[in-house]
Amino acid sequence: MTYPVEYAQSIYETQVKPLPAEARAELDAHVKRLESDPFPGKWVFRLRVSGALRQAGSQPIFAARSRRFIVFHTVLDNRVVILGVLSAEVRR
């Protein structure tokens, strides 16, 4: 089964700095993998949600990690919705 992938409206509106071509290619490949495997496994894990959010009926939130990025997503109506993307690089 494949899952169509879309970005949440909020991530589109807050993108302020375009990525370099190499980083964008890595992110695109990373997101493309979510089409076939958006659930916990080798490279995707489920985040724990606080009691307040769980009671609000929120969807489970997952994170998928690549070398440079962590993609936060959920699955709604058989589609993957990207909620946010963070750099996985640790800076001192």
Side-chain angles (χ1 to χ4, degrees), residues 26-41:
E26 179 184 331
L27 180 59
D28 287 345
H30 189 53
V31 169
K32 184 93 174 133
R33 261 201 281 176
L34 291 174
E35 288 182 349
S36 61
D37 189 11
F39 297 107

Side-chain angles (χ1 to χ4, degrees), residues 3-90:
Y3 297 82
V5 176
E6 64 185 47
Y7 286 84
Q9 186 69 23
S10 60
I11 193 172
Y12 257 17
E13 293 173 357
T14 59
Q15 176 80 31
V16 293
K17 185 172 94 173
L19 294 172
E22 181 182 322
R24 182 67 195 183
E26 179 184 331
L27 180 59
D28 287 345
H30 189 53
V31 169
K32 184 93 174 133
R33 261 201 281 176
L34 291 174
E35 288 182 349
S36 61
D37 189 11
F39 297 107
K42 184 176 179 182
W43 64 284
V44 176
F45 55 95
R46 183 175 176 170
L47 300 176
R48 288 184 170 218
V49 179
S50 72
L53 286 174
R54 200 171 321 136
Q55 291 172 0
S58 62
Q59 290 293 113
I61 298 174
F62 304 100
R65 182 148 198 246
S66 74
R67 186 171 62 89
R68 285 188 243 190
F69 299 102
I70 299 172
V71 177
F72 297 94
H73 65 282
T74 191
V75 177
L76 296 169
D77 302 323
N78 291 329
R79 71 185 191 285
V80 175
V81 179
I82 307 299
L83 303 172
V85 177
L86 294 178
S87 172
E89 297 176 5
V90 176

